[in-house]
Amino acid sequence: MARQNRSQRPQTSPDRTGKSTRTSRNSRQAMQRRAKRRKQGKMVRRVIFTLLIAAAIVMAPTVFFRVSKVTVTGDTRYTDEELVRTSGVQEGDNMFFLDTRHIISLLEAKYPYLDTIELHRRMPSTLQIEVTDRVPILSIENNGSYLLMDSAGKVLEKTDSPAENTTQVIGASPDGLKPGDWAENTSDDKKDEKHEKILAVLRLMELMTQYEMQDSIHSVDINKAYDVRVQYEDRYTILLGSMDKEKLEHKIQFLQAILKEPSLPESGIIDLTGDSEARYRPQEDSTSNKTVVFEDKTEQPEETQTTEDPTPETETDKPDADTTDTAPSDTGEDTPADTGTEDAAPESGQEDNTAAVTIWTYRYL
């Protein structure tokens, strides 16, 4: 019976086995095709998503970031309305397509006082204009009117009178200059020599600022380039002579030391035209021959600087008889205070208003 049952089992035909193998192979291929289509679909979706993101990035500034407000910040004499109107920026303009350089050039051309101009985009829709103003330091006389100029040499304004807190400049000949122009033309690396006197005054004021005396300079007379005169407050007239670049700073250093000397009279003339000394006298056309000499011994390295404890010359170093130290007369004129030197007694028969010479020595390191 067992053998009969085995013999009666159905047998798989060769054709049916081949068909099953083909079906299995087709199924695997179909699965591979479906997986490939799914992968391609993912790639297509990713490309489409990327394109949509890129389009949004490109279109967002155009569609969304539009100017709805323009503000002005900073300390300036011009009104917000003036600056906004001149900038040319309109409500609805695209924030990212604004030509900032062109806007800045428009503002600079229209308003000479503007110094720095910066544009800031404040998202999503505000444009901020930040400005600062130039400060005039010179009032340059020009045929009855005055041109106001800042420390960089830019003409800011034309006025009928000198501006407050500026130094009046006489004899600088600012021919052809107008608000917005510069004293020195640096285009093409070529220097404009036409306004050389103004440039010399600017160098002088730069040194005065460096040595903290700029606020005391009331006027500069440069009508004669070899005889420049500076009015220091209402007290001293400073004779600088020529404005030699190599010597000018040293003269200002020397002047600063002289002005710190406590025995210097309250007003008068300080003459810095000499090469190695400065002289003080009470007034320009004084009949008195009183003179105070400040000797400059900068080239002697062994000397030490002193402004509060002056060192008088020895008897052997004193000047000739016509400038020998003598006691000043009681004429009411300004005389140097006692500096610790012992003045020689006047000679017999000599008048009291003869020269009284005191010498201080300064050393600059």
Side-chain angles (χ1 to χ4, degrees), residues 151-179:
S151 59
K154 185 177 183 180
V155 181
L156 307 178
E157 184 181 358
K158 185 177 182 179
T159 62
D160 295 330
S161 59
E164 294 184 1
N165 302 319
T166 62
T167 297
Q168 183 177 347
V169 181
I170 304 168
S173 302
D175 299 332
L177 287 178
K178 61 184 182 300

Side-chain angles (χ1 to χ4, degrees), residues 161-347:
S161 59
E164 294 184 1
N165 302 319
T166 62
T167 297
Q168 183 177 347
V169 181
I170 304 168
S173 302
D175 299 332
L177 287 178
K178 61 184 182 300
D181 290 344
W182 296 80
E184 182 175 0
N185 180 12
T186 56
S187 62
D188 298 328
D189 297 327
K190 293 181 180 180
K191 183 177 179 181
D192 185 357
E193 301 289 348
K194 184 176 181 180
H195 305 293
E196 185 62 31
K197 286 185 177 181
I198 296 178
L199 299 178
V201 174
L202 289 172
R203 288 193 295 270
L204 172 63
M205 294 305 299
E206 182 180 1
L207 289 172
M208 288 297 184
T209 301
Q210 180 180 339
Y211 292 97
E212 301 180 350
M213 293 186 286
Q214 73 282 3
D215 293 337
S216 299
I217 307 303
H218 287 185
S219 66
V220 177
D221 186 343
I222 196 170
N223 189 53
K224 299 177 181 178
Y226 58 86
D227 184 20
V228 179
R229 301 185 173 213
V230 174
Q231 184 62 42
Y232 186 90
E233 298 178 343
D234 293 324
R235 301 167 57 196
Y236 303 108
T237 298
I238 314 298
L239 307 183
L240 289 177
S242 66
M243 299 281 274
D244 191 330
K245 293 181 182 179
E246 297 180 357
K247 298 180 180 179
L248 185 58
E249 182 171 5
H250 183 72
K251 288 182 179 181
I252 302 307
Q253 289 177 330
F254 199 12
L255 174 62
Q256 184 186 51
I258 293 171
L259 292 172
K260 290 180 179 180
E261 175 52 51
S263 61
L264 182 70
E266 289 298 320
S267 62
I269 310 294
I270 299 177
D271 188 344
L272 292 169
T273 58
D275 292 334
S276 60
E277 65 181 19
R279 291 178 177 270
Y280 164 84
R281 60 181 181 272
Q283 56 188 5
E284 183 70 25
D285 298 322
S286 175
T287 56
S288 171
N289 58 356
K290 289 180 183 177
T291 303
V292 178
V293 178
F294 298 86
E295 187 175 0
D296 180 7
K297 294 189 176 181
T298 305
E299 296 180 354
Q300 297 183 12
E302 68 276 9
E303 297 283 352
T304 58
Q305 182 177 2
T306 172
T307 59
E308 296 181 356
D309 185 19
T311 304
E313 286 190 335
T314 62
E315 291 294 327
T316 57
D317 293 332
K318 287 185 178 179
D320 296 333
D322 59 342
T323 56
T324 304
D325 289 358
T326 60
S329 64
D330 187 13
T331 61
E333 297 181 2
D334 291 335
T335 58
D338 184 10
T339 61
T341 61
E342 184 176 352
D343 291 338
E347 296 178 6

